[in-house]
Amino acid sequence: MVATFFSWIIRVFNMPPFHVPSFSLAHVLDVFIVAVLIYLIFRWIRRTQAWVLFRGVVIVLIVALLAEIFDLFTVGWIVNNAISMGLVVVVILFQPELRKVLEQIGRGQYLINFKTDGEEKVHTSAHTVDEIVKASTIMSQALTGALIVLEQEVDLSEHERSGVPLDAQVSVQLLTNIFERNTPLHDGAVIIRSNRVSTAMCILPLTAETLDSSLGTRHRAGIGITEVSDARVVVVSEETGTVSVVVDGKITRGISEGKMRELLTYGEPVKARFSLFKSKGKGRR
């Protein structure tokens, strides 16, 4: 099936002279509906953790196309057999995201919330970054552990479900009080969305990478969430007071306030975000 599809793509280059087919209003409506569905699917993929897995699917399809073009029989056989089970694999891998979408459709929320990305996401303001930097400095001096996550384009609602909703304005006082020892919300992570403290006490996925022995569970969680999303994370060590920032799975430790503001505002260089084969090194220690 896949081989036939790519053979058709290749034969397109030898098509007879192009002619405009006749079409009706039904054809226009048909194309419009398909276009909207494709847009919604890609928008959903781009805004969830499925984006990382989607890039892997794109790589597999590219390999399949190259195998068909250059007549690589063994590679083509392996890829074709792997893709034949693709639907089952997609359902298994994307199960949390698919369930969320179906729940939204069942409640009638998906089309109601049909907005552009710019309307849904608010850029992290300088005030929010400044409050986080000040709070991190205070907690560092007091040896208070902290884990602060700034949501970007990828939605973190799945991880918010494990925490306590707050929906409060970001401030130094709030952040320092949340992570104060022996308080109800000090354990876990704080997620900040659209310049507001959305949730506290959240449980994050831990990285599987081998890390330095001086990095504890907070650091592993901070790295883990950036491996499955584009979030930016601040980690304050309870043992040493060291402040670290994690972006794209790379941790920068013991940074100055100026460097922290830069990483939380701009993150990684823009060119790195569009690289299909981004390096997943252990980062700066």
Side-chain angles (χ1 to χ4, degrees):
M1 179 179 66
V2 177
T4 303
F5 173 75
F6 285 118
S7 297
W8 176 81
I9 293 179
I10 295 173
R11 288 198 299 271
V12 168
F13 296 99
N14 298 321
M15 289 178 59
F18 179 76
H19 65 280
V20 179
S22 59
F23 61 93
S24 63
L25 181 60
H27 295 145
V28 175
L29 181 61
D30 186 27
V31 172
F32 175 76
I33 293 175
V34 172
V36 170
L37 290 176
I38 292 176
Y39 168 77
L40 290 175
I41 291 173
F42 273 90
R43 178 171 168 265
W44 166 70
I45 291 175
R46 183 63 184 89
R47 295 185 46 119
T48 64
Q49 298 171 14
W51 177 248
V52 179
L53 300 175
F54 178 73
R55 290 188 300 180
V57 174
V58 171
I59 294 175
V60 172
L61 293 177
I62 292 175
V63 172
L65 178 59
L66 293 176
E68 184 69 26
I69 293 176
F70 296 104
D71 197 22
L72 305 177
F73 175 79
T74 305
V75 175
W77 181 86
I78 294 174
V79 174
N80 288 336
N81 282 274
I83 294 179
S84 63
M85 299 183 63
L87 181 60
V88 177
V89 174
V90 167
V91 172
I92 294 175
L93 293 179
F94 295 169
Q95 187 270 337
E97 289 81 4
L98 289 172
R99 178 176 178 177
K100 179 181 176 182
V101 170
L102 292 176
E103 289 176 350
Q104 290 178 339
I105 294 176
R107 299 186 187 119
Q109 296 176 349
Y110 198 78
L111 294 179
I112 294 175
N113 294 328
F114 182 75
K115 306 174 183 177
T116 63
D117 291 342
E119 292 175 326
E120 294 180 351
K121 294 292 182 180
V122 177
H123 180 71
T124 304
S125 68
H127 172 75
T128 298
V129 172
D130 193 53
E131 294 295 295
I132 294 173
V133 171
K134 291 179 180 177
S136 300
T137 301
I138 293 174
M139 290 186 287
S140 172
Q141 295 171 351
L143 295 181
T144 301
L147 182 56
I148 305 172
V149 180
L150 278 78
E151 184 187 77
Q152 302 298 309
E153 293 298 322
V154 176
D155 188 81
L156 300 179
S157 297
E158 177 184 349
H159 305 288
E160 286 184 320
R161 296 172 187 169
S162 62
V164 177
L166 293 181
D167 190 23
Q169 183 177 355
V170 178
S171 67
V172 174
Q173 294 80 6
L174 176 61
L175 293 175
T176 53
N177 279 321
I178 288 176
F179 291 108
E180 183 66 31
R181 296 184 186 90
N182 302 321
T183 56
L185 300 178
H186 83 283
D187 196 16
V190 160
I191 294 180
I192 296 178
R193 170 188 294 133
S194 299
N195 299 305
R196 295 186 66 81
V197 178
S198 173
T199 319
M201 208 175 173
C202 298
I203 300 175
L204 305 181
L206 303 181
T207 180
E209 292 286 337
T210 302
L211 304 178
D212 190 282
S213 58
S214 63
L215 300 179
T217 304
R218 282 191 181 89
H219 296 86
R220 299 187 68 88
I223 296 174
I225 190 64
T226 62
E227 289 176 341
V228 297
S229 72
D230 58 351
R232 298 166 190 170
V233 179
V234 176
V235 185
V236 181
S237 173
E238 186 174 352
E239 290 75 21
T240 64
T242 302
V243 180
S244 306
V245 173
V246 189
V247 179
D248 194 26
K250 300 176 183 179
I251 182 169
T252 305
R253 303 178 63 192
I255 60 177
S256 63
E257 293 185 7
K259 183 64 175 178
M260 193 190 313
R261 286 190 178 88
E262 179 184 344
L263 290 176
L264 294 181
T265 303
Y266 302 107
E268 290 294 294
V270 175
K271 62 180 181 180
R273 298 182 185 177
F274 296 92
S275 174
L276 195 60
F277 302 94
K278 286 193 288 187
S279 174
K280 284 292 181 183
K282 297 179 183 178
R284 299 174 288 274
R285 304 294 185 201

